[in-house]
Amino acid sequence: MGKHILVLSCSPRKGGNSDTICDRFIEGARSAGHEVEKIHFKDKRINYCTGCGLCHNRAGHCSQKDDMTEILARMVAADVIVMATPIYFYSVSGQMKTLIDRACARYTEIVGKEFYFIMTAADGRPAAMDRALEAFRGFTDCLTDARECGVIRGTGLWGVKDATRSAVLKEAYEMGAAVK
Ligand SMILES: Cc1cc2nc3c(=O)[nH]c(=O)nc-3n(C[C@H](O)[C@H](O)[C@H](O)COP(=O)(O)O)c2cc1C
């Protein structure tokens, strides 16, 4: 039976490099019989975590009522979570960090998931993504039984459509198709 894959695309540029790579990953995953849902940050209203602490006292409850309620429900339900970000000053985008911080309300319920990370940068060096990868791992290290299954580093991508000419799309398709 296919898995349920949730793709969280967190560039402010819809149809940009990381989002395009997500779409190729999704094509591959669907070809292998998986069910995929992509959520783009730009389509959602997601406020910053306020650090109010309500979720510590009432597990699962966030004081804010915005689209993160639905996204957290999807994260808890998914088998596989794909997180995609552009590199901004050698870390993840503010959008991605905001989403990660808002997972605070239910992160203890995000258990046994497989994770894939997609990153894009203008820099041509794969190591340019090491800090962002550590930021992702800072999140997944807080989860129970999270398994990192794949990392895509889209290097040398500056212009909004640069990924369409990159070999990274083939890599993304194959990684999606290889989800077991
Ligand atoms: C605010 C900002 C900061 C950026 N910082 C970096 C950086 O530190 N290193 C880098 O190689 N590229 C940097 N870039 C370029 C983006 O990472 C690159 O264009 C990426 O492919 C964008 O992906 P997207 O189309 O999915 O948004 C930055 C771009 C912006 C807008």
Side-chain angles (χ1 to χ4, degrees), residues 11 13 16-18 86-90 120-123 157-158:
S11 167
R13 302 202 296 199
N17 295 318
S18 53
I87 297 298
Y88 278 3
F89 294 101
Y90 293 95
T120 54
D123 200 313
L157 310 176
W158 169 250

Side-chain angles (χ1 to χ4, degrees), residues 18-91:
S18 53
D19 199 37
T20 301
I21 294 170
C22 285
D23 289 343
R24 287 300 283 162
F25 183 101
I26 291 167
E27 280 178 45
R30 287 194 174 132
S31 78
H34 302 295
E35 184 194 326
V36 191
E37 178 187 18
K38 182 173 84 169
I39 293 176
H40 198 286
F41 194 97
K42 214 173 172 184
D43 297 328
K44 302 292 176 186
R45 194 169 58 84
I46 305 173
N47 301 319
Y48 298 122
C49 174
T50 62
C52 71
L54 178 79
C55 59
H56 286 287
N57 304 323
R58 293 178 63 206
H61 290 265
C62 182
S63 60
Q64 303 194 63
K65 301 292 167 248
D66 60 11
D67 291 330
M68 201 57 207
T69 308
E70 168 212 334
I71 293 171
L72 275 175
R74 304 280 162 98
M75 290 176 81
V76 169
D79 303 305
V80 178
I81 300 176
V82 180
M83 303 178 82
T85 183
I87 297 298
Y88 278 3
F89 294 101
Y90 293 95
S91 189

